[in-house]
């Protein structure tokens, strides 16, 4: 049986629109699969952008396809001739004059069709991963539906998983491609923030880098530069390791009341001494570390105090919580 119709532009584009929105299973998978992966790896923002990219890509594809069909196959009255031919093995949809070679034909094979149903004034056929909307005039719709019933289109057995996957191969490849692109577009961890001086981030930051940055600041203030001292380096390491082992950050161990100053006093009990510590992230540079200390009035006074002339610096893991990655401890003393 062959049924023909001439659709207005409004009806033709509505037909394509219905074909998009009546794909809930595939659309849920198409959006949900990359969304789940991206959210788990990179967070909610990347997941939202994934959905937006997929929605935009789908809309652009369908808009381009529908415009192409309408502009190339409409008739002189700017209507779209559409004909449907149904038999027991396939439904043939022809856009343009079916009696002319100038047309576009889509064949929906029954053995690749998952479902056919009637809703409102339209007939829907889910073929492979796409749903086709068939618009027919009221006078022809009943007869066409009857022909589809006789041909067994409304009693299609469920497709095997292999056939269903085969019909979605192109779409699945597109989904994986978009997901992979977004995976590499959104880094999962904070990236190192480069400093003006091009210093390395704190992940590879060494105590000598910090000492050099402190001395750079002291030179600007015309202060005596700090000299590295082995005893203070040893006391700074002991204080830093105590924070890491006992999972705290601060001047005093909350378990035993031991202070970081006590480590310094083992070497320099009769001098001016001070401990300055700072939790840092792996993306910090030496300049950023110094700026953090400068922003702290107490630490700023100590680092720029001309009475201190020797220093020891240690770096260790920050274990108090998950807010930071490392601890820097600076021990200063006078001559």
């Amino acid at each position: 049986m062959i049924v023909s119709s001439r659709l207005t532009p409004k009806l033709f584009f509505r037909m394509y629109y219905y074909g998009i929105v009546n794909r809930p299973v595939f659309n849920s998978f198409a959006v949900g699969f990359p969304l789940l992966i991206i959210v788990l790896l990179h967070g909610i923002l990347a997941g939202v952008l994934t959905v937006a990219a997929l929605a935009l890509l789908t809309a652009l594809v369908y808009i381009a396809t529908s415009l192409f069909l309408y502009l190339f196959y409409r008739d002189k009255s700017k209507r779209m001739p559409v004909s449907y031919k149904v038999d027991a093995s396939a439904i043939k949809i022809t856009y343009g004059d079916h009696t002319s070679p100038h047309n576009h034909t889509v064949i929906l094979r029954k053995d690749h069709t998952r479902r056919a149903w009637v809703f409102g004034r339209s007939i829907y056929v889910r073929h492979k991963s796409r749903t086709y909307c068939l618009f027919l005039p009221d006078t022809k719709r009943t007869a066409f539906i009857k022909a589809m019933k006789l041909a067994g289109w409304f009693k299609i057995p469920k497709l095997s998983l292999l056939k269903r996957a085969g019909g979605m191969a192109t779409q699945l490849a597109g989904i994986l491609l978009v997901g992979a692109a977004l995976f590499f577009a959104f880094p999962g961890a904070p990236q190192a923030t480069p400093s003006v001086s091009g210093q390395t981030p704190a992940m590879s930051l060494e105590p000598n880098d910090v000492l050099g940055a402190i001395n750079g600041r002291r030179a600007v203030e015309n202060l005596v530069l700090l000299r590295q001292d082995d005893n203070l380096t040893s006391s700074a390491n002991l204080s830093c390791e105590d924070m890491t082992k006992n999972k705290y950050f601060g001047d005093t161990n909350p378990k035993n009341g031991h202070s970081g100053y006590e480590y310094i006093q083992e070497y320099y009990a009769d001098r001016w001494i001070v401990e300055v510590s700072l939790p840092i992230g792996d993306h910090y540079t030496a300049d950023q570390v110094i700026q953090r200390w400068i922003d702290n009035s107490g630490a700023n006074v100590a680092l720029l105090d001309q009475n201190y002339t020797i220093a020891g610096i240690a770096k260790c893991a920050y274990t108090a919580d998950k807010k930071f990655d490392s601890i820097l401890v600076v021990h200063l003393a006078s001559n």
Side-chain angles (χ1 to χ4, degrees):
M1 179 181 182
I2 299 178
V3 175
S4 299
S5 178
R6 294 170 65 247
L7 303 178
T8 64
K10 181 179 179 180
L11 285 177
F12 176 71
F13 289 117
R14 185 187 298 175
M15 177 183 70
Y16 251 77
Y17 167 76
Y18 286 167
I20 298 174
V21 298
N22 281 280
R23 300 171 61 197
V25 175
F26 179 73
N27 284 343
S28 298
F29 178 81
V31 172
F33 177 72
L35 174 62
L36 177 63
I37 298 299
I38 299 299
V39 167
L40 289 176
L41 292 174
H42 302 303
I44 295 176
L45 176 60
V48 171
L49 292 176
T50 301
V51 174
L54 287 171
L56 180 61
L57 180 63
T58 302
L60 289 175
V61 169
Y62 277 87
I63 289 172
T65 305
S66 59
L67 279 175
F68 173 83
L69 290 175
Y70 176 73
L71 293 175
F72 279 84
Y73 299 113
R74 63 183 178 176
D75 60 18
K76 293 181 180 179
S77 63
K78 296 185 178 180
R79 289 175 175 253
M80 171 61 77
V82 181
S83 65
Y84 307 105
K85 179 181 178 182
V86 60
D87 57 35
S89 61
I91 293 177
K92 181 180 179 182
I93 305 174
T94 302
Y95 300 99
D97 187 354
H98 70 281
T99 63
S100 167
H102 184 66
N103 58 49
H104 176 72
T105 299
V106 177
I107 298 177
L108 312 181
R109 293 172 50 190
K110 186 189 286 186
D111 58 352
H112 283 87
T113 297
R114 297 173 58 186
R115 182 188 172 200
W117 72 99
V118 178
F119 183 79
R121 301 176 60 189
S122 304
I123 304 169
Y124 296 94
V125 179
R126 182 165 294 156
H127 183 259
K128 295 185 178 180
S129 66
R130 179 176 174 182
T131 297
Y132 291 83
C133 178
L134 282 56
F135 267 20
L136 292 167
D138 294 341
T139 55
K140 300 178 181 180
R141 187 185 313 111
T142 302
F144 193 80
I145 292 173
K146 184 178 180 180
M148 288 183 66
K149 286 182 179 179
L150 292 174
W153 280 88
F154 296 112
K155 295 182 179 180
I156 298 175
K158 290 185 177 181
L159 294 179
S160 66
L161 183 61
L162 185 62
K163 277 194 174 183
R164 291 170 65 178
M168 298 166 61
T170 303
Q171 289 80 0
L172 290 175
I175 292 169
L176 294 176
L177 182 63
V178 172
L182 289 168
F183 175 85
F184 291 106
F186 298 99
Q191 296 299 300
T193 304
S195 67
V196 176
S197 61
Q199 295 180 13
T200 54
M203 188 183 301
S204 56
L205 194 63
E206 297 296 330
N208 284 338
D209 298 325
V210 179
L211 180 60
I214 294 174
N215 278 333
R217 184 71 183 184
R218 288 173 71 94
V220 173
E221 303 293 333
N222 294 317
L223 300 174
V224 176
L225 302 186
L226 297 172
R227 291 180 290 105
Q228 191 272 336
D229 181 81
D230 292 340
N231 291 332
L232 290 178
T233 299
S234 176
S235 65
N237 275 307
L238 289 172
S239 180
C240 203
E241 290 169 3
D242 186 57
M243 294 186 204
T244 297
K245 180 180 178 181
N246 293 288
K247 299 182 179 180
Y248 75 95
F249 173 77
D251 295 332
T252 305
N253 186 327
K255 294 182 179 179
N256 56 27
H258 197 288
S259 170
Y261 286 82
E262 295 178 39
Y263 294 111
I264 309 176
Q265 289 174 341
E266 293 180 9
Y267 299 102
Y268 303 116
D270 57 346
R271 302 187 187 184
W272 290 85
I273 58 174
V274 69
E275 177 183 87
V276 179
S277 54
L278 179 74
I280 61 174
D282 282 343
H283 60 286
Y284 280 39
T285 64
D287 284 345
Q288 291 171 321
V289 168
I290 300 307
Q291 189 60 49
R292 284 282 306 277
W293 267 320
I294 291 173
D295 293 340
N296 182 309
S297 58
N300 186 28
V301 170
L303 293 176
L304 299 182
D305 191 327
Q306 62 180 354
N307 291 316
Y308 298 119
T309 57
I310 55 177
I313 302 175
K315 176 189 170 188
C316 55
Y318 182 90
T319 57
D321 50 47
K322 296 182 179 180
K323 294 180 180 179
F324 298 95
D325 301 299
S326 304
I327 300 173
L328 282 175
V329 175
V330 179
H331 282 182
L332 303 173
S334 60
N335 281 326

